[in-house]
Amino acid sequence: MPLYVSDKQIVLPGGDAVATRDYNVSGSIYWDGDVAYSAVVGLINIRGGERDVEVIPLSGIYKPRVGGDIVIGYVVDIGLTGWVIDIKSPYSAYLPVQEATLKPIDLTAVDLKNLLGIGDIVLARIIDFNLTKDYPVTLTLKETRLGRIEGGTLVEIDASKVARVIGRRGSMVSIFSEELNCDVTVGQNGRVWIRCRDPGG
Amino acid sequence: MVRTVGSGLGVGILGDESFVARVIKLIESESHTSGLTDRVRSIVTQYRARKASSKS
């Protein structure tokens, strides 16, 4: 039952074996027989009494996850029944019109670009990720804090660095809200929206 | 990349939002993450002190 790595070890793709199937190996890995190898340049994170081993990539693209991921995206196209959203991921995202408003909309009477136009920025939640669809990611705006973003500043960072910007239990973002009255909303796709009550300082 | 929502790239960024954007880029690029929260808090405190002294 070998574990080939130690906690916080840097692993490289192609060569570094991580563990066998006796461990719960997750993250950016691939299996060759019964041995898991790292698929990226990453950091080993061991938890759960040394049974759970995760390979965390040091840099990389955003991989959508269903059920909870909040993302910030740009409207890049308007279809017949919704909007195509760029979420800084290899997988394209779609916002169906029934997920954009709480009220039912008559598509024959409403021009969608009056609701959201190309270039608009939205804060959305991922509700479905299905690779068999034309647009694998489905988004929703049907929550109170979600919707079109107006005002503020947007920063793009590497998606793998999102956790450190949030901090442990939100400690990093709370510094900005406590000290400067700035709300910092971190999208899991590496886009950060900053809104200060006194933006000019 | 930093942009102000509703305008072109990097146009019109001033004051607190600009500062927070810079600190976030700093957090992203930092290679030593131990004690990062304390260092960020210290930077923000210094910024507030400097801002207060410039206003007085």
Side-chain angles (χ1 to χ4, degrees):
Chain A
M1 297 193 299
L3 175 67
Y4 300 106
V5 289
S6 54
D7 195 26
K8 306 292 180 207
Q9 181 183 329
I10 301 281
V11 285
L12 301 172
D16 281 343
V18 177
T20 59
R21 288 193 189 273
D22 303 310
Y23 293 84
N24 302 320
V25 191
S26 61
S28 303
I29 54 132
Y30 65 93
W31 291 95
D32 185 6
D34 283 337
V35 179
Y37 292 86
S38 172
V40 294
V41 178
L43 192 71
I44 295 292
N45 180 25
I46 299 176
R47 50 208 154 77
E50 304 211 335
R51 302 307 301 172
D52 297 328
V53 183
E54 185 184 12
V55 177
I56 302 168
L58 291 182
S59 70
I61 50 122
Y62 168 64
K63 289 180 188 161
R65 283 167 300 186
V66 184
D69 265 12
I70 299 273
V71 294
I72 295 174
Y74 298 109
V75 176
V76 290
D77 200 5
I78 304 174
L80 288 174
T81 59
W83 299 265
V84 181
I85 311 287
D86 162 28
I87 57 164
K88 213 170 78 129
S89 169
Y91 309 105
S92 22
Y94 197 70
L95 173 64
V97 70
Q98 69 268 20
E99 292 295 338
T101 61
L102 294 170
K103 288 184 250 175
I105 288 177
D106 179 7
L107 285 171
T108 59
V110 173
D111 190 354
L112 290 187
K113 69 172 179 255
N114 293 334
L115 298 172
L116 281 174
I118 288 173
D120 280 356
I121 305 172
V122 291
L123 180 67
R125 183 185 294 281
I126 292 175
I127 53 168
D128 189 33
F129 179 46
N130 185 340
L131 284 171
T132 62
K133 291 183 180 174
D134 284 345
Y135 297 102
V137 179
T138 308
L139 302 172
T140 186
L141 302 182
K142 290 205 296 195
E143 278 177 41
T144 47
R145 55 184 288 225
L146 306 180
R148 180 166 55 192
I149 285 175
E150 287 167 355
T153 300
L154 203 67
V155 183
E156 292 205 355
I157 60 170
D158 196 299
S160 63
K161 303 293 193 297
V162 162
R164 69 162 75 164
V165 172
I166 296 170
R168 196 167 291 165
R169 289 191 290 276
S171 59
M172 204 67 90
V173 274
S174 67
I175 292 174
F176 301 118
S177 62
E178 288 164 10
E179 304 276 341
L180 296 172
N181 268 340
C182 291
D183 291 326
V184 176
T185 306
V186 186
Q188 292 294 324
N189 57 338
R191 288 192 178 128
V192 184
W193 178 41
I194 305 157
R195 185 137 202 217
C196 297
R197 281 166 200 85
D198 181 16
Chain B
M1 188 188 83
V2 179
R3 60 169 284 191
T4 306
V5 177
S7 70
L9 286 174
V11 175
I13 301 173
L14 287 167
D16 287 356
E17 284 182 3
S18 170
F19 170 73
V20 173
R22 284 180 203 171
V23 173
I24 286 171
K25 294 301 282 182
L26 175 85
I27 294 167
E28 181 199 16
S29 62
E30 194 62 50
S31 53
H32 298 286
T33 55
S34 66
L36 188 59
T37 309
D38 293 335
R39 278 183 279 154
V40 168
R41 193 180 292 279
S42 162
I43 291 167
V44 172
T45 307
Q46 284 176 45
Y47 169 79
R48 274 188 68 189
R50 188 176 285 184
K51 201 172 88 171
S53 69
S54 72
K55 278 183 178 173
S56 60

